[in-house]
Amino acid sequence: MTAPATVPPKPHSSLYNTFARAPLEFERGEGAWVYTPAGEAYLDFSAGIAVNSLGHANPVLVAALTEQAGKIWHTSNLFRIPGQERLAERLTAASFADRVFFANSGAEANECAIKTARRYHFVNGHPERFHIITIEGAFHGRTLATLAAGGQEKYLEGFGPKADGFVQVPFGDIDAVKAAVTPETAAIMVEPIQGEGGVRSFPAGFFKELRALCDANGLLLVMDEVQTGVGRTGKFFAYEWTGVTPDILTLAKGIGGGFPLGACLATEEAAKGMTPGTHGTTFGGNPLAMAVGNAVLDVVLADGFLDHVRETGLYLKQRLAALVDQHGDVLDGVRGEGLLVGLHAVQPVPEVVAALRAQHLLVAGAGENVVRLLPPLTIGRTEVDAAIEKIEAACHALAPAAERQQIQA
Ligand SMILES: *Cc1c(COP(=O)(O)O)cnc(C)c1O
């Protein structure tokens, strides 16, 4: 074999080129603050995309993880794992659910939910009922099935045929959901508030109608609470705001506080098809993850914690609303629940995110030209005030650009 005439240039990095990363790195964190190797402080209102729910280096979580690390890390699901049994008991006691399967991520938790819903109809003698209705703007993960569930063309392109059995309907349109139900429908899968889709809440009454539709047609209602769960919206589960309960629910992001952990919760009835051998995982629910998950619950389920999240979220939204009034040329709306907050931007989101980063405030983008604020649930007014100061400074920095745009128009 002859060597190629020209050696291709080496890439700058040996990593897959899948992320458009900011040119920033952090070496340590404490609470809502993270620090670069040079010691520069940034206020973290992205919290690893709603993952660091209790802030960085939370002493309760550090103690739980290090204590477990000195005992046993991994045994596999060939054996009983007491931490799993305890965490599952606590999650079911706090919810509609009777059964829990632990995974390592949101997409995996959703895969379990999809399999559970399909298997339920299979054991009921209806293998043809495997279709799942999802909502436009949804995000359910990046595996082949969850991509099909999310239905976003830009994420599906180039990866072969879209996984079969997912039907998508327009956002918030109950008549469209009704029209999409067929004898092949197994379930409806929905985020209580769309996170990646732009912190979008559904119209009042939407979930009650969904529940009624499911009951009338023998469908399972699946709620993806990977982003909204474990206190993010000021309730332990966001479905508690809707007045109905799902049959299956998924968690990830916040439940591990930064340790990879996902969970699929189901009623006894919905989970009845998931018998030995039907599903599995090597890493899911390992003792390290369980130690951290249980410690997260110790904090989030403590008296007054969720009240604090709701109060802080309200204060943040009030202060943001005042900013929006003053800087309508940059931002024109606030939405969300608890500490899942969306700021609708007039200017392109990447520019707003960059302007905030220049003020040392970390946030996340989302669909529909929305900037997402997902701070640790442990913040108080001090951190909110600091963030508002930075957002205001960013608005001033962006204002000349907005004026230029107006002059050009
Ligand atoms: C982040 C997210 C997922 C995917 O979670 P991963 O851990 O990245 O697989 C699924 N659903 C929702 C609602 C999410 O926000």
Side-chain angles (χ1 to χ4, degrees):
M1 213 184 119
T2 51
T6 51
V7 179
K10 270 208 175 245
H12 295 296
S13 163
S14 308
L15 295 170
Y16 258 45
N17 192 25
T18 46
F19 299 106
R21 296 175 201 269
L24 260 183
E25 65 177 84
F26 301 104
E27 154 179 282
R28 68 189 177 86
E30 194 181 338
W33 294 88
V34 288
Y35 300 87
T36 67
E40 285 184 299
Y42 283 74
L43 183 56
D44 188 3
F45 268 42
S46 65
I49 319 185
V51 166
N52 301 102
S53 49
L54 303 183
H56 296 275
N58 185 299
V60 176
L61 304 193
V62 172
L65 183 63
T66 49
E67 194 199 326
Q68 185 61 46
K71 289 181 180 167
I72 195 161
W73 291 20
H74 181 83
T75 58
S76 88
N77 285 298
L78 295 173
F79 306 100
R80 289 184 65 177
I81 298 173
Q84 276 191 21
E85 291 173 21
R86 175 151 185 263
L87 187 53
E89 255 166 44
R90 298 171 82 188
L91 288 171
T92 54
S95 75
F96 71 95
D98 307 302
R99 298 272 180 174
V100 183
F101 182 90
F102 290 109
N104 310 287
S105 66
E108 277 178 282
N110 284 336
E111 288 274 341
C112 180
I114 293 163
K115 288 178 75 173
T116 303
R118 289 180 172 180
R119 185 83 187 166
Y120 166 80
H121 292 289
F122 175 82
V123 299
N124 279 345
H126 290 286
E128 77 285 1
R129 294 187 73 169
F130 67 91
H131 287 209
I132 295 176
I133 298 172
T134 65
I135 311 287
E136 268 177 25
F139 183 76
H140 297 300
R142 297 286 200 138
T143 61
L144 291 167
T146 57
L147 274 183
Q152 301 227 18
E153 286 305 326
K154 63 176 177 187
Y155 294 150
L156 283 158
E157 188 186 33
F159 297 115
K162 187 179 139 196
D164 202 8
F166 294 93
V167 182
Q168 201 157 57
V169 297
F171 181 88
D173 184 345
I174 192 69
D175 292 329
V177 184
K178 284 179 186 166
V181 175
T182 73
E184 293 184 322
T185 309
I188 300 169
M189 184 168 178
V190 58
E191 297 154 84
I193 299 174
Q194 286 189 346
E196 304 297 313
V199 192
R200 289 205 293 180
S201 297
F202 287 87
F206 182 75
F207 286 97
K208 289 209 165 118
E209 294 201 72
L210 270 191
R211 182 72 264 177
L213 185 64
C214 286
D215 294 344
N217 293 278
L219 311 177
L220 297 175
L221 181 57
V222 181
M223 291 208 195
D224 178 346
E225 293 227 31
V226 167
Q227 188 155 157
T228 56
V230 194
R232 174 57 54 189
T233 69
K235 301 259 191 198
F236 190 71
F237 297 101
Y239 78 76
E240 295 170 51
W241 294 109
T242 69
V244 304
T245 58
D247 303 292
I248 301 173
L249 176 148
T250 54
L251 296 173
K253 296 203 164 96
I255 192 176
F259 199 96
L261 172 55
C264 178
L265 284 62
T267 62
E268 189 71 37
E269 175 68 8
K272 71 182 180 186
M274 301 305 279
T275 47
T278 53
H279 196 43
T281 168
T282 299
F283 292 115
N286 92 2
L288 293 174
M290 294 302 100
V292 180
N294 274 303
V296 167
L297 259 58
D298 289 343
V299 176
V300 175
L301 293 176
D303 270 353
F305 185 86
L306 293 170
D307 296 329
H308 171 82
V309 173
R310 285 196 293 275
E311 279 163 25
T312 310
L314 209 56
Y315 178 65
L316 173 61
K317 277 208 284 187
Q318 282 165 352
R319 295 228 44 197
L320 288 171
L323 266 190
V324 166
D325 283 347
Q326 286 160 23
H327 298 277
D329 50 348
V330 180
L331 304 167
D332 69 351
V334 188
R335 57 209 207 187
E337 201 65 68
L339 288 171
L340 171 57
V341 174
L343 267 176
H344 193 265
V346 178
Q347 297 188 34
V349 163
E351 284 170 33
V352 179
V353 171
L356 292 169
R357 199 188 304 137
Q359 301 298 330
H360 288 200
L361 179 68
L362 305 178
V363 298
E368 289 219 318
N369 228 50
V370 165
V371 173
R372 248 179 318 165
L373 306 183
L374 306 154
L377 307 180
T378 46
I379 62 161
R381 291 191 170 214
T382 314
E383 288 87 352
V384 171
D385 292 342
I388 294 293
E389 218 171 89
K390 292 174 186 297
I391 298 168
E392 184 151 37
C395 285
H396 283 295
L398 285 164
E403 277 159 26
R404 274 200 305 278
Q405 274 171 7
Q406 269 164 10
I407 292 163
Q408 277 167 8

